[in-house]
Amino acid sequence: QQKRDAERRAMLAAIGKGDRVVTRGGICGTVIGLTETHVVLKVDENNNTKIEFLRGAIDQIVKKDGEGK
């Protein structure tokens, strides 16, 4: 369990602008803003919809900025 916790902390620390992520609630978006405790995701390109989440709500990084399509 300590290993999983360490991996999760490393993943949350590695989040950067432009990364595609999925929240624990299943919302997919692109990171456009970061603070120490919050992440702002752009979830709709057409309407420029943004949602702010606690950093801990991020479940996984789907694609790092700069990685293929």
Side-chain angles (χ1 to χ4, degrees):
Q1 186 172 357
Q2 289 177 343
K3 182 179 177 183
R4 282 191 306 255
D5 290 344
E7 289 171 353
R8 176 153 178 76
R9 281 193 301 276
M11 183 268 302
L12 292 175
I15 295 172
K17 286 186 179 179
D19 292 349
R20 297 271 308 152
V21 298
V22 178
T23 68
R24 287 186 177 186
I27 297 173
C28 301
T30 303
V31 177
I32 60 169
L34 291 165
T35 68
E36 220 174 278
T37 58
H38 291 83
V39 176
V40 179
L41 299 182
K42 187 175 191 177
V43 295
D44 183 7
E45 295 292 328
N46 297 326
N47 295 319
N48 202 27
T49 304
K50 302 169 193 166
I51 303 175
E52 184 174 355
F53 293 92
L54 291 173
R55 198 178 269 252
I58 303 301
D59 190 49
Q60 62 181 321
I61 299 173
V62 177
K63 182 177 75 165
K64 293 292 287 176
D65 186 29
E67 288 182 358
K69 283 192 169 192

